[in-house]
Amino acid sequence: MKKVIHKADSRGFADHGWLQARHSFSFASWNNPERVHFGVLRVLNDDTIGPNMGFGTHPHNNMEIITIPLKGTLKHRDNMRNDWQALLPGEVQVMSAGTGVQHSEINGSVDEHLSLFQIWIIPQKQNVKPRYDQKAFKAEDRNGQLQVLVNSFDDSGEEGLKIHQDARLSRIDLSEGEAFTYHLKSLNHGVYIMLISGEVVIEGEVLKLRDAIGISETDSFNVATKTDTELLFIEVPMINF
């Protein structure tokens, strides 16, 4: 088993006033050559966006972009005929940028901050037709069990939003003193685990709020909670670039 530990305070940080951004991997002006990607996981940004503020229209291409709002209301607009769609906590958004897409994202509230994770995964197919999708997931469906949010188009038997990569994003909520074993799809995959809230022990490593651990070269690993805990699992092929 191979492990990499990323403590919350070791992440990159950018204060733009309206945007407080924390980067698990090199992004924008924060460049850490030892933290460029985890397999095909390229970006995991933990953003807090001020009321009525956001990202103006900007381009993406050949990237699978996943947004998970944690608090507040995100509004999304793009050049694929999607005009200011709301995305709420409990919902997930995917966008296959493919041959190219232009989009904008703003905080849809005039008085509350917006908190979200934005995740970029390198696709296995280039120059696909751009697409957008979003879906609501019930919180009770992840109590003590994995709730799959996103997976590959090739995983036709699994629920969840689809992307062009052999990846799987899932969440689980565990109670204090609860144990859980995660099983990977293959030995060629690794899992990047972000602790949304709580405190856990994963394979002997104690993790607290917004700490993360990457695990690879194994078929499973164990999680034991010290408090009520929310976890995000990002399982990806461990391809080197």
Side-chain angles (χ1 to χ4, degrees), residues 11-30:
R11 297 177 296 175
F13 177 68
D15 183 352
H16 300 283
W18 63 273
L19 168 67
Q20 310 290 309
R22 291 167 175 83
H23 311 306
S24 294
F25 303 98
S26 294
F27 190 85
S29 61
W30 187 65

Side-chain angles (χ1 to χ4, degrees), residues 152-190:
S152 169
F153 278 104
D154 295 330
D155 293 330
S156 57
E158 291 190 7
E159 296 184 358
L161 295 162
K162 301 299 182 181
I163 61 172
H164 296 282
Q165 184 52 269
D166 187 19
R168 180 173 61 189
L169 278 71
S170 52
R171 287 182 66 173
I172 192 169
D173 295 347
L174 298 171
S175 300
E176 179 181 352
E178 194 168 357
F180 175 76
T181 300
Y182 187 101
H183 298 277
L184 285 77
K185 296 181 70 172
S186 79
L187 289 175
N188 296 321
H189 282 71

Side-chain angles (χ1 to χ4, degrees), residues 75-225:
K75 285 194 173 180
H76 165 97
R77 180 173 67 181
D78 60 45
N79 62 348
M80 296 181 287
R81 300 182 180 177
N82 295 305
D83 189 21
W84 294 127
Q85 296 196 48
L87 189 73
L88 304 174
E91 297 180 304
V92 178
Q93 170 200 103
V94 297
M95 186 171 67
S96 297
T99 54
V101 66
Q102 300 266 345
H103 79 135
S104 309
E105 292 179 320
I106 64 169
N107 183 343
S109 172
V110 298
D111 55 12
E112 291 185 345
H113 281 74
L114 165 67
S115 298
L116 58 83
F117 289 139
Q118 185 162 104
I119 297 157
W120 294 8
I121 291 177
I122 300 167
Q124 63 190 138
K125 295 180 180 179
Q126 299 289 300
N127 298 319
V128 299
K129 182 180 178 180
R131 60 182 292 275
Y132 175 92
D133 200 2
Q134 68 182 66
K135 183 177 179 178
F137 296 87
K138 296 179 180 179
E140 56 265 30
D141 290 345
R142 59 176 177 265
N143 287 334
Q145 61 184 357
L146 276 183
Q147 180 184 61
V148 177
L149 308 176
V150 177
N151 54 40
S152 169
F153 278 104
D154 295 330
D155 293 330
S156 57
E158 291 190 7
E159 296 184 358
L161 295 162
K162 301 299 182 181
I163 61 172
H164 296 282
Q165 184 52 269
D166 187 19
R168 180 173 61 189
L169 278 71
S170 52
R171 287 182 66 173
I172 192 169
D173 295 347
L174 298 171
S175 300
E176 179 181 352
E178 194 168 357
F180 175 76
T181 300
Y182 187 101
H183 298 277
L184 285 77
K185 296 181 70 172
S186 79
L187 289 175
N188 296 321
H189 282 71
V191 185
Y192 193 81
I193 306 107
M194 169 62 75
L195 187 61
I196 301 174
S197 68
E199 184 174 353
V200 298
V201 179
I202 299 179
E203 292 297 329
E205 306 291 343
V206 178
L207 303 177
K208 299 182 180 181
L209 177 69
R210 294 302 203 269
D211 289 344
I213 182 172
I215 295 179
S216 57
E217 300 179 11
T218 186
D219 59 1
S220 65
F221 59 86
N222 297 312
V223 177
T225 65

